[in-house]
């Protein structure tokens, strides 16, 4: 079946620290992979995506590379800011259905 | 920037009552979706809707659920007789559907409706 396993949270980092949130997936065929972010009181917003193996998605300093050999799509950012505090969701898309991870809550402290 | 909107933001209902959750997808999008997130659990797919009919649905989407696009703008989710376990955040989403490959399309999500069943 299709599923996403995401690093458990919550994660607390100091400003300017390096961020990694791990995401691995199980899927039939060749899914597209996404990271969504949810700020308090808001809906899920697309952060970045990759639609085929070895693609790198990037946005707002965040990056993730679609690794077929390790079935992973880890989210990274070199220097986090307080404004990055949110819940991050990894997801895969098969057909027109998304499969989400459980979400990882990130808090960045000044 | 266009966005998906949902109303109400919070709905409280008694067990056994019918509820209708409303969504206005992005205007030129062709695919529409409902997801739910029970507190502390994953966001789960319920149903997708294209060309005025359901294109996929999950096991969760049983006979108690129905969806409708009553006019050119609204997309609704109806729960016929609510149960305690229907308490969750319900997210509506839409996607362009113009790539010819729905699996590569970004889905745009609304802010959610929190449903509380007492």
């Amino acid at each position: 079946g299709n599923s996403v396993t995401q690093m458990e949270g919550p994660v607390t980092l100091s400003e300017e620290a390096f961020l990694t949130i791990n995401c691995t997936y199980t899927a039939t065929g060749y899914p597209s992979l996404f990271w969504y972010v949810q700020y308090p009181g808001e809906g899920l917003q697309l952060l970045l995506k990759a639609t085929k193996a070895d693609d790198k998605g990037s946005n707002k300093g965040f990056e993730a590379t679609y690794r077929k050999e390790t079935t992973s799509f880890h989210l990274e950012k070199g220097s986090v800011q307080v404004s990055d505090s949110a819940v991050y969701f990894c997801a895969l898309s098969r057909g027109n259905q998304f499969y989400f991870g459980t979400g990882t809550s990130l808090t960045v402290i000044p | 920037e266009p966005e998906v909107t949902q109303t109400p933001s919070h709905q409280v209902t008694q067990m056994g009552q019918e509820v209708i959750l409303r969504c206005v997808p992005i205007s030129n999008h062709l695919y529409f979706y409902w997801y739910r997130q029970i507190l502390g659990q994953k966001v789960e797919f319920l149903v997708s809707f294209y060309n005025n009919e359901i294109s996929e649905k999950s096991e969760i989407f049983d006979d108690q659920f129905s969806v409708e696009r009553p006019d050119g703008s609204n997309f609704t989710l109806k729960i016929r007789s609510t149960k305690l376990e229907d308490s969750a955040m319900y997210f509506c989403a839409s996607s362009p559907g113009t790539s010819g490959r729905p699996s590569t399309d970004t889905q745009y999500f609304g802010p959610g409706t929190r449903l509380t069943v007492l």
Side-chain angles (χ1 to χ4, degrees):
Chain A
N2 300 301
S3 66
V4 172
T5 301
Q6 194 174 334
M7 177 176 149
E8 293 285 331
V11 174
T12 302
L13 294 174
S14 297
E15 205 164 23
E16 299 182 4
F18 185 85
L19 169 71
T20 300
I21 301 178
N22 289 337
C23 172
T24 57
Y25 68 90
T26 302
T28 54
Y30 303 98
S32 296
L33 301 173
F34 300 78
W35 277 99
Y36 278 81
V37 59
Q38 185 177 32
Y39 299 102
E42 299 184 17
L44 299 167
Q45 301 174 24
L46 177 70
L47 182 58
L48 52 85
K49 74 178 191 182
T51 59
K52 61 183 188 297
D54 300 325
D55 268 2
K56 177 188 283 188
S58 60
N59 185 27
K60 299 181 182 179
F62 291 89
E63 291 183 342
T65 301
Y66 189 143
R67 302 278 188 207
K68 188 167 180 292
E69 64 276 13
T70 55
T71 62
S72 65
F73 193 55
H74 304 321
L75 182 68
E76 297 183 336
K77 186 175 185 182
S79 176
V80 293
Q81 305 301 312
V82 172
S83 56
D84 294 327
S85 298
V87 181
Y88 292 81
F89 293 89
C90 184
L92 72 84
S93 172
R94 287 291 292 145
N96 56 12
Q97 182 176 156
F98 271 35
Y99 299 83
F100 283 89
T102 51
T104 301
S105 174
L106 169 68
T107 301
V108 181
I109 54 178
Chain B
E1 187 175 329
E3 57 183 22
V4 176
T5 59
Q6 290 185 243
T7 53
S9 57
H10 191 189
Q11 174 91 48
V12 181
T13 190
Q14 295 290 325
M15 190 169 58
Q17 294 297 303
E18 174 184 286
V19 294
I20 297 176
L21 309 183
R22 291 184 166 78
C23 169
V24 179
I26 295 173
S27 64
N28 59 349
H29 284 189
L30 301 180
Y31 284 87
F32 315 111
Y33 313 85
W34 283 101
Y35 291 81
R36 78 171 185 192
Q37 185 180 29
I38 295 171
L39 190 62
Q41 298 186 24
K42 290 187 179 187
V43 176
E44 301 172 292
F45 170 79
L46 293 178
V47 66
S48 61
F49 192 84
Y50 171 73
N51 201 25
N52 281 320
E53 60 183 24
I54 290 172
S55 53
E56 285 186 52
K57 61 181 181 178
S58 70
E59 296 171 351
I60 304 166
F61 194 87
D62 61 21
D63 291 345
Q64 292 297 311
F65 292 89
S66 62
V67 289
E68 194 178 33
R69 188 155 162 82
D71 53 41
S73 60
N74 290 284
F75 179 53
T76 61
L77 174 70
K78 182 192 289 186
I79 308 175
R80 200 181 333 275
S81 177
T82 50
K83 304 187 282 287
L84 294 176
E85 53 265 37
D86 294 327
S87 294
M89 180 73 87
Y90 288 80
F91 293 104
C92 174
S94 67
S95 64
T98 51
S99 70
R101 293 178 58 205
S103 63
T104 64
D105 277 350
T106 299
Q107 293 187 16
Y108 296 83
F109 285 78
T113 293
R114 180 166 297 286
L115 176 65
T116 302
V117 182
L118 303 175

